[in-house]
Amino acid sequence: MRGRPGRHPRLRALVALGGLIGVGSPLAAQAIEDPFTGEPPATQELGPEREAEIDALTAEIGATLRCPVCRQQSVAESPDRVARAMQGVIRRMLIEGKSPEEIEAYFVESYGPWILLQPKAEGASLWVYLGPALAFALGGGLFVARIRRGAGARDEADPAAPVDPDIASEDRAWLDSAIRDA
Amino acid sequence: KVVVVNFWASWCQPCVYEHPVLVRLAETYDPEDVALVGVLFQDDPERGKRFFEELGGDWPLVVDPGSETAIRYGVYGVPETFFIGANGVVALRHDLPVTWDLVARKVDSLLVARGPRDADVELLETATDAASGPE
């Protein structure tokens, strides 16, 4: 490694991994292992470069999938055995040469669209994105309309504007008498 | 044939609860018509064996290394039972312990959908030919 300036794939993979999941993530402490026997899955010899690549990609894909047991956590973060088994499956599929899209599709087919942490903006899930935007637009519109009406009312009460003489006459008489008496 | 895939584990209390229903299923239906398979989920095969020694029941049991099969089926807890018709389509996925009522109705309806076995059809045709007498 030392003899090849500018080529440190393991370091690069680690940096990518770190950048992806943030510092201090529990992912660093979890090895991918068979959830029951605790042994790493039997794979052919990959070599350290490919190994690091696969590990990074597994973490990346795992971070986009929801753990079906601890549903607020990603598969990459969850300590649950099912999540670890899913990581094993992701890894196996990557080694077989499947693309991240194919792997995502596999899990969506097995579990349903809810297995993705970020719902795809299609079909019913489109409302996850459209709904708040529409609500905001509607609410914003109502808000602006209300503000405008409020401002209009103040204009009507402007003292510089001409007063209705019928209403004002009683007040004027009272005012005049008050001034005379003062 | 109709296939019933039951995911279970020795550490799962509801699996103990539903076990007698599965035993009854295995005893009621001919394995030629209804194949019951138990898939062990995240458990030690030895403990799985002991589970059956204690509770009885005798149908094919399989282990699932890496939980690959469970994940393929979208399983993340046990017990889960899948009822698959003779056409290979999953007719029902039941996430709770099965009851006899559910099992019997589902399996019966899948058997009706499948229709009679080829061997039975041949038997019926032979019998009909025999009944109509030599022509």
Side-chain angles (χ1 to χ4, degrees):
Chain A
M1 283 284 173
R2 280 277 150 138
R4 293 152 69 193
R7 302 236 328 149
H8 296 280
R10 200 178 256 155
L11 180 61
R12 254 189 298 154
L14 273 174
V15 168
L17 185 62
L20 207 55
I21 60 179
V23 177
S25 160
L27 176 65
Q30 288 178 37
I32 295 170
E33 59 202 34
D34 184 279
F36 183 72
T37 63
E39 289 165 10
T43 56
Q44 68 265 43
E45 270 305 309
L46 290 176
E49 272 189 39
R50 184 89 180 109
E51 190 85 30
E53 222 173 40
I54 296 273
D55 283 347
L57 211 48
T58 303
E60 204 177 305
I61 298 173
T64 66
L65 294 174
R66 184 189 305 275
C67 171
V69 179
C70 327
R71 303 217 178 171
Q72 296 312 310
Q73 287 188 305
S74 73
V75 163
E77 299 170 312
S78 171
D80 189 79
R81 295 214 291 209
V82 176
R84 302 221 299 273
M86 285 169 78
Q87 284 180 342
V89 171
I90 296 170
R91 191 187 154 84
R92 190 256 308 159
M93 291 180 87
L94 284 170
I95 292 172
E96 282 174 4
K98 301 274 195 306
S99 71
E101 291 77 28
E102 287 176 306
I103 295 174
E104 252 181 40
Y106 176 84
F107 282 100
V108 168
E109 203 194 326
S110 297
Y111 285 92
W114 59 268
I115 203 71
L116 297 176
L117 275 170
Q118 183 100 358
K120 283 202 170 355
E122 52 195 30
S125 298
L126 190 55
W127 287 104
V128 172
Y129 299 100
L130 267 184
L134 279 177
F136 188 74
L138 193 68
L142 282 170
F143 184 65
V144 168
R146 190 94 171 97
I147 291 275
R148 288 226 181 96
R149 236 180 311 142
R154 249 187 291 117
D155 283 339
E156 284 159 24
D158 188 347
V163 228
D164 183 344
D166 289 333
I167 295 169
S169 59
E170 272 184 30
D171 294 338
R172 190 156 294 148
W174 174 85
L175 187 60
D176 288 345
S177 67
I179 291 172
R180 257 184 275 116
D181 295 341
Chain B
K1 48 174 88 164
V2 172
V3 179
V4 179
V5 182
N6 171 250
F7 289 84
W8 63 283
S10 66
W11 44 261
C12 155
Q13 181 56 35
C15 301
V16 176
Y17 197 70
E18 73 170 2
H19 196 78
V21 174
L22 295 171
V23 170
R24 191 170 168 190
L25 166 62
E27 286 170 359
T28 306
Y29 295 95
D30 188 335
E32 287 298 303
D33 290 323
V34 181
L36 173 61
V37 178
V39 182
L40 191 60
F41 178 78
Q42 302 198 335
D43 198 3
D44 177 6
E46 282 310 311
R47 295 172 62 172
K49 263 190 249 175
R50 246 182 288 140
F51 183 95
F52 270 76
E53 278 160 24
E54 283 168 28
L55 298 177
D58 176 29
W59 55 86
L61 304 171
V62 297
V63 292
D64 183 20
S67 301
E68 290 257 2
T69 308
I71 288 172
R72 189 71 185 98
Y73 273 78
V75 169
Y76 53 87
V78 277
E80 280 206 45
T81 308
F82 292 76
F83 294 83
I84 306 172
N87 56 357
V89 176
V90 175
L92 175 68
R93 168 189 180 156
H94 193 67
D95 292 5
L96 294 165
V98 287
T99 60
W100 178 249
D101 189 46
L102 171 85
V103 165
R105 275 188 293 124
K106 203 65 207 168
V107 170
D108 285 347
S109 74
L110 288 174
L111 283 172
V112 167
R114 181 199 68 166
R117 276 189 251 157
D118 292 341
D120 292 343
V121 173
E122 279 174 33
L123 203 64
L124 198 63
E125 285 172 350
T126 320
T128 318
D129 288 343
S132 56
E135 308 251 310

